[in-house]
Amino acid sequence: MQAQIPSKVSRPYCSKVNGTKSDEDFLQKAFSDINANLLTTEAHCSEFVKYYTGLSQEQKGPFLCLLAKQYGIDKDTLCTVAKSVLFAKNKEDPNLLLAAERMRLNLHPKHRTLFTHLSRVNGGVKFLVDLRADVLNFKQSNMSEVDGALYQELNSTLRELLMLWFTVGFLKLERITWSSPCDLVQKVSKYEAVHRIRTWLDIKQRLGPYRRCYIFTHNSMPGEPVVVLHTALTKSISSNIQSIIQDSRFKPSFSPHSSEERSPNSASLESYKAAFMSLTPPVSPETSELHVPLEKLPITGEEKEDPSQIQCAIFYSITSTQKGLQGIDMGNYLIKTAVKKLQEEFPHLQQFSSLSPIPGFRDWLLSYAKQSISAQCIGEDPGVPLLLPNELNDLAPFKQPSQASPLETFRDLVASHEWFSNIELTRAMVGPLMRLCANYLYIQKKRKYALNPVASFHLTNGAVLWRINFLADTSHRGLMQSCTLMVNYRYFLDCTDSNSQNYLTNHQIRASSEVLNLLQGCSYLSQS
């Protein structure tokens, strides 16, 4: 149960980084006899929760800095112990072992003891998760190097403890259905961060036939999902999100926007169908049926599932619900546990894949285009060209008088989305967008790992970069994030461990021939 939030504590406001005198007095009292006995410790912890939750957001930052500064690592003692380590004569010297043990103990900040005790009281774990969320927010917005170091010390302590408490052994897998407790269904709807849930019919469809929704909960946070995984059970690996988030019995064609997001330049559904079906590579048969208006859909939950129609499990949304658990990997455990659960229910099920968004692709593409145009303007060699000669030729007919080259045409089309409402432009854009997306996912790295965080997550789990899908998310968000592209990361169960090890150790990405073929003839392929 979550700690109760009392009414705000009356205290003087102070913007100083060191907090107020009342903060100092409170912390001195809290740490005075924190290990005295169980009742005293619980009382101190309850008072700490009450005091902190009573602070305004502006007051919490200085309070946390004061906590880290006065009750962090004792640096003077640590320096003394470090000197004793240096004075040890050799590795076999018993004094070295004793000094090393003293150093280990002194590397534990005092506030770690408080956090450990807090985890044992009712609602304490949830309080610490929320506390870390505050620390991360302050750390991100902080401008002071000193304060940043203090927030980082708190963050490191909390992250270390939460990683111990949120291992798979302490997490419970639950399937959420329309019959689950209402508050859990509401939270699943509220926390959905990948594909927005707008109505009760939306959530009912995502919990209905041919759909599975799994959550991880923690014993210390009952009724609070910490990770949510939405899965679609399909006959083939889905190539667009519209076929999943709309009712499973009606396989709708894509539409440029929902009724809430419609653009004044959107082409008619019939025109887009014609363009979509004529593109290369060919699209999935899932998109060939006519769209059925949402209001005419039958009530979900009445259809019985036909196991013969279930050949694939598509992980189309995975959401970590608690910012305070950022950087603590539970999604990997959830996918692996969900796979076991699905195979228990459908023993014949062998195909597992994600249908993932590509956040950051459009921003990266615009930045790449800007750099290429700048290099061209000053006569520098751009290195790897943004567009290939045939792509430049395809875009040349669409160049406007204000644009100096097809490169500028491409940049402006990506920025404005005008290509999306024109069939001929769509045909001209599909090639460069697919190729550049393969570049972004397979070639571009950050600290030797995939630049895209979603890609790195699935590759770390041992998935294969299997297929890039054009016009896969035609919502406004899909246009803004990734120019409508989505990607399938395929999980081949017999080689996920070796794929994961190869990615983490050798920084090598396993990709399908279909993805690699998009990069054939490109000079940057040899750089991978």
Side-chain angles (χ1 to χ4, degrees):
M1 185 178 294
Q2 184 175 353
Q4 296 294 314
I5 300 178
S7 58
K8 296 222 176 208
V9 176
S10 176
R11 65 193 291 282
Y13 172 74
C14 180
S15 60
K16 291 182 179 179
V17 72
N18 291 330
T20 65
K21 182 65 166 63
S22 58
D23 289 341
E24 293 183 22
D25 293 343
F26 172 77
L27 287 173
Q28 185 177 7
K29 180 181 177 182
F31 281 90
S32 60
D33 52 356
I34 195 170
N35 289 314
N37 56 65
L38 181 60
L39 292 177
T40 302
T41 299
E42 287 189 357
H44 281 316
C45 290
S46 297
E47 282 297 315
F48 187 91
V49 172
K50 181 179 179 181
Y51 188 88
Y52 182 79
T53 54
L55 302 178
S56 68
Q57 201 64 19
E58 293 79 10
Q59 294 166 332
K60 287 179 179 179
F63 177 82
L64 290 171
C65 281
L66 183 66
L67 173 64
K69 185 176 181 180
Q70 294 194 356
Y71 299 95
I73 296 172
D74 188 334
K75 298 173 180 60
D76 292 336
T77 304
L78 182 62
C79 289
T80 302
V81 174
K83 290 178 181 178
S84 66
V85 173
L86 294 174
F87 289 150
K89 293 181 179 179
N90 56 63
K91 293 182 180 180
E92 304 301 324
D93 189 343
N95 292 326
L96 176 61
L97 300 178
L98 293 173
E101 177 63 13
R102 286 198 298 272
M103 177 175 282
R104 185 186 67 82
L105 293 174
N106 278 280
L107 284 172
H108 284 182
K110 296 177 183 177
H111 53 248
R112 181 189 174 98
T113 302
L114 172 65
F115 295 158
T116 303
H117 288 317
L118 279 167
S119 70
R120 297 168 184 159
V121 302
N122 191 27
V125 171
K126 178 67 169 92
F127 171 79
L128 291 172
V129 170
D130 293 339
L131 181 69
R132 183 168 181 251
D134 285 344
V135 170
L136 290 172
N137 286 332
F138 288 125
K139 181 175 178 287
Q140 185 175 7
S141 60
N142 175 69
M143 302 298 292
S144 165
E145 186 175 343
V146 173
D147 294 351
L150 293 173
Y151 289 132
Q152 180 55 40
E153 185 177 323
L154 290 173
N155 176 46
S156 297
T157 303
L158 287 166
R159 183 175 183 272
E160 182 181 339
L161 291 172
L162 292 171
M163 285 182 71
L164 294 174
W165 301 331
F166 282 85
T167 56
V168 66
F170 296 108
L171 298 170
K172 177 183 177 183
L173 181 75
E174 294 183 40
R175 179 186 168 190
I176 301 299
T177 68
W178 189 243
S179 302
S180 297
C182 186
D183 63 328
L184 266 181
V185 174
Q186 285 181 314
K187 286 177 180 178
V188 166
S189 177
K190 171 187 172 184
Y191 288 139
E192 174 56 31
V194 183
H195 303 292
R196 180 182 168 192
I197 294 174
R198 292 184 173 84
T199 67
W200 279 110
L201 185 54
D202 283 351
I203 186 63
K204 192 169 185 180
Q205 287 168 183
R206 298 191 200 190
L207 302 179
Y210 300 99
R211 301 292 179 266
R212 295 294 183 271
C213 176
Y214 298 106
I215 65 170
F216 262 158
T217 58
H218 192 278
N219 289 335
S220 297
M221 296 168 57
E224 185 66 39
V226 294
V227 188
V228 181
L229 175 67
H230 286 280
T231 306
L233 305 177
T234 63
K235 195 167 184 178
S236 60
I237 295 179
S238 302
S239 61
N240 71 87
I241 194 61
Q242 287 79 13
S243 66
I244 289 179
I245 62 176
Q246 299 183 35
D247 189 273
S248 57
R249 288 158 291 177
F250 294 87
K251 295 177 180 178
S253 65
F254 74 95
S255 56
H257 299 274
S258 72
S259 58
E260 296 181 17
E261 303 174 320
R262 196 172 301 279
S263 163
N265 294 321
S266 297
S268 67
L269 177 62
E270 291 74 21
S271 296
Y272 262 87
K273 276 194 59 154
F276 195 27
M277 296 303 292
S278 66
L279 292 173
T280 301
V283 299
S284 166
E286 293 172 321
T287 62
S288 61
E289 302 291 335
L290 284 175
H291 173 62
V292 178
L294 189 61
E295 61 270 16
K296 294 185 179 180
L297 292 176
I299 298 174
T300 61
E302 298 176 350
E303 182 185 11
K304 291 186 178 180
E305 294 172 342
D306 178 0
S308 68
Q309 298 298 307
I310 299 173
Q311 302 297 326
C312 309
I314 310 298
F315 309 122
Y316 67 92
S317 174
I318 182 164
T319 302
S320 179
T321 67
Q322 310 290 319
K323 181 167 183 178
L325 295 176
Q326 179 179 304
I328 299 171
D329 182 19
M330 292 173 288
N332 178 24
Y333 296 132
L334 181 54
I335 288 178
K336 289 181 177 179
T337 310
V339 165
K340 292 179 182 178
K341 197 79 172 176
L342 287 166
Q343 288 190 317
E344 289 174 4
E345 189 176 0
F346 304 102
H348 68 282
L349 190 59
Q350 293 297 323
Q351 296 187 69
F352 300 91
S353 174
S354 78
L355 180 61
S356 301
I358 314 173
F361 170 58
R362 179 173 170 269
D363 290 341
W364 172 83
L365 192 55
L366 288 171
S367 176
Y368 189 2
K370 181 180 178 181
Q371 293 173 12
S372 297
I373 292 168
S374 297
Q376 185 184 64
C377 289
I378 61 177
E380 285 188 356
D381 180 4
V384 178
L386 174 69
L387 297 178
L388 302 179
N390 64 304
E391 295 167 346
L392 290 170
N393 291 335
D394 290 342
L395 286 168
F398 305 101
K399 187 174 78 68
Q400 300 299 312
S402 60
Q403 296 163 342
S405 69
L407 279 180
E408 293 189 14
T409 304
F410 179 78
R411 177 203 60 193
D412 293 346
L413 288 172
V414 171
S416 67
H417 312 303
E418 288 182 15
W419 64 270
F420 185 62
S421 58
N422 182 294
I423 294 173
E424 296 303 322
L425 274 172
T426 301
R427 289 186 175 130
M429 292 292 283
V430 59
L433 286 176
M434 292 282 284
R435 177 181 58 79
L436 289 164
C437 188
N439 175 359
Y440 175 66
L441 295 174
Y442 185 75
I443 304 293
Q444 302 304 314
K445 303 289 181 66
K446 180 180 181 181
R447 297 173 184 169
K448 298 184 179 181
Y449 297 106
L451 175 63
N452 182 266
V454 178
S456 193
F457 168 78
H458 286 289
L459 295 169
T460 297
N461 294 345
V464 174
L465 177 56
W466 190 67
R467 186 176 67 193
I468 299 171
N469 306 294
F470 185 61
L471 296 178
D473 182 358
T474 55
S475 68
H476 178 69
R477 183 175 183 174
L479 273 167
M480 292 296 293
Q481 277 193 338
S482 58
C483 303
T484 78
L485 276 69
M486 298 187 76
V487 57
N488 297 114
Y489 297 101
R490 184 87 178 266
Y491 285 83
F492 296 94
L493 301 184
D494 57 344
C495 55
T496 53
D497 288 342
S498 59
N499 289 344
S500 175
Q501 185 67 24
N502 201 28
Y503 176 67
L504 293 173
T505 305
N506 303 319
H507 313 112
Q508 293 182 353
I509 296 174
R510 185 178 172 193
S512 68
S513 59
E514 183 176 333
V515 171
L516 294 178
N517 285 340
L518 292 170
L519 298 169
Q520 286 302 318
C522 300
S523 57
Y524 43 67
L525 185 59
S526 61
Q527 300 172 14
S528 63

